[in-house]
Amino acid sequence: MPEFRNREEYERWKAERLKESQDRQRSRDQQASDKRPAAPDQQSPSSRSPELTDIGDLLNQSWGQFKERIGVLLPLHLLSLVFLIAGILLAVGIGALIAMMVPQCKTPVLLISALIGLTIGLTAMFWPVSALVVAVADPSLGMGDALAQGWKKLWAFLWLFSILGYVVAGGYLLFIVPGVIFTIWFIFSQFILAEDNARGMDAMLKSKEYVKGRWFDVFLRFLVLWALSTGLGMIPLLGIILSIMLTPFMMIYSYLIFTDLKRLRPEVAEFKPDPGEKIKWVGAATLGYIVLPLIIIAIVGTVCMIPLLMMNGMNFHQVPPPQRFF
């Protein structure tokens, strides 16, 4: 210890040594803390495994938004049904008038008019359906603005739902399971068209990219929704009314899952599908339309061959044995 001329120098030296000791201790503690793994509840949010919203919270959020937006979303949905029914009735009514003038062609005229009416009705209903999707994706839109936006994207939605129906139906023809897989992969295509203006197969493959790695989680959430819808639909008469009224709720539920996936995978926003990928999925769907008829033909052919084989067997047993000469 050094010598001090007075008490003041000693106190100053003591304070400096104490400060140095405290600094060294803090440095050692900081190094030890850096090496020690963080406790689970102390990890930063970015280090936690991101998950989709719980099903219960998802249902609550969907119901809350449905109650707030029912004045816009429900009329749009009902308008789509009105357009469908009006198109069919108009064409069938015209067909009935023609059938009265040519009664000998009554049946074919009515069938053709019904097909034409169904085509017109389905085409017309896509206008409010497009408006409904746009309104769900943008809560700031009123009914008029939604219809205006839906009209601008009408043909894009018609093409999307046409190719989507073709691919998904082809998957179901490949023994159901591929159809379920395709449904979950491509179910968010409509919202991608509404928000990002990606069209046709571009929207479908982008939806698949969002679902990638979380297929079962998304399937489980839709399974709950489908079970709820089926349960309501089984109630006599009231079930049909409830199913119609709750369709916008189900669409909100789907959109909230989509926003979850966008939050978890923001890099997909820049995704550009490979042209070869589009051909692959259309080809896979086409395979379903080819395989099923071939299987039906094979089954029918087998069933038709059984009586012939049985008859050949009976004839074989009826052939007299050869005569013996020795």
Side-chain angles (χ1 to χ4, degrees), residues 38 42 47 54 76 159 170-171 173 214 226 251 271 282 294:
Q42 294 177 343
S47 66
D54 291 338
L76 287 173
W159 170 243
L173 291 175
R214 291 184 171 84
W226 291 330
M251 190 169 287
F271 173 75
V282 173
L294 290 178

Side-chain angles (χ1 to χ4, degrees), residues 292-311:
L292 185 63
L294 290 178
I295 292 174
I296 293 173
I297 292 171
I299 293 172
V300 171
T302 303
V303 171
C304 292
M305 284 296 294
I306 290 174
L308 295 175
L309 292 173
M310 292 177 65
M311 290 177 64

Side-chain angles (χ1 to χ4, degrees), residues 44-268:
S44 62
S46 60
S47 66
R48 296 173 188 162
S49 176
E51 298 294 341
L52 294 172
T53 303
D54 291 338
I55 295 175
D57 293 338
L58 196 59
L59 289 169
N60 288 332
Q61 293 176 24
S62 303
W63 183 249
Q65 291 193 24
F66 173 69
K67 289 190 295 183
E68 292 177 4
R69 300 276 291 156
I70 189 172
V72 173
L73 302 183
L74 186 57
L76 287 173
H77 176 54
L78 294 176
L79 189 61
S80 68
L81 299 178
V82 169
F83 279 17
L84 173 63
I85 296 170
I88 295 173
L89 291 179
L90 178 63
V92 171
I94 295 173
L97 291 176
I98 296 174
M100 291 174 62
M101 293 184 286
V102 282
Q104 64 273 17
C105 301
K106 179 179 179 180
T107 301
V109 167
L110 290 177
L111 286 175
I112 292 172
S113 64
L115 289 174
I116 293 173
L118 183 61
T119 303
I120 294 173
L122 287 172
T123 303
M125 76 174 290
F126 271 105
W127 178 19
V129 166
S130 304
L132 177 61
V133 175
V134 171
V136 169
D138 187 354
S140 67
L141 295 178
M143 188 171 173
D145 293 333
L147 285 169
Q149 293 293 327
W151 179 258
K152 291 178 182 178
K153 297 185 177 183
L154 174 60
W155 295 109
F157 272 103
L158 274 170
W159 170 243
L160 173 63
F161 283 118
S162 297
I163 189 67
L164 182 62
Y166 179 83
V167 172
V168 172
Y172 279 104
L173 291 175
L174 288 170
F175 309 108
I176 307 300
V177 174
V180 176
I181 295 173
F182 289 1
T183 299
I184 299 300
W185 274 344
F186 304 136
I187 199 166
F188 304 113
S189 307
Q190 55 189 336
F191 300 123
I192 293 172
L193 170 58
E195 290 191 345
D196 301 342
N197 210 30
R199 304 189 176 207
M201 286 298 299
D202 288 344
M204 291 169 59
L205 293 176
K206 199 168 185 178
S207 172
K208 177 179 176 292
E209 197 66 19
Y210 275 118
V211 177
K212 186 177 180 180
R214 291 184 171 84
W215 187 93
F216 185 76
D217 291 335
V218 175
F219 170 74
L220 187 61
R221 281 153 177 78
F222 277 108
L223 185 62
V224 171
L225 186 64
W226 291 330
L228 177 64
S229 175
T230 303
L232 291 174
M234 293 175 66
I235 303 173
L237 186 61
L238 182 62
I240 300 175
I241 299 172
L242 289 175
S243 296
I244 292 173
M245 292 189 64
L246 290 180
T247 296
F249 164 80
M250 298 175 186
M251 190 169 287
I252 292 171
Y253 182 94
S254 304
Y255 180 71
L256 290 179
I257 299 174
F258 173 61
T259 56
D260 257 0
L261 293 172
K262 286 205 307 178
R263 172 178 57 83
L264 297 176
R265 298 204 62 195
E267 71 278 4
V268 180

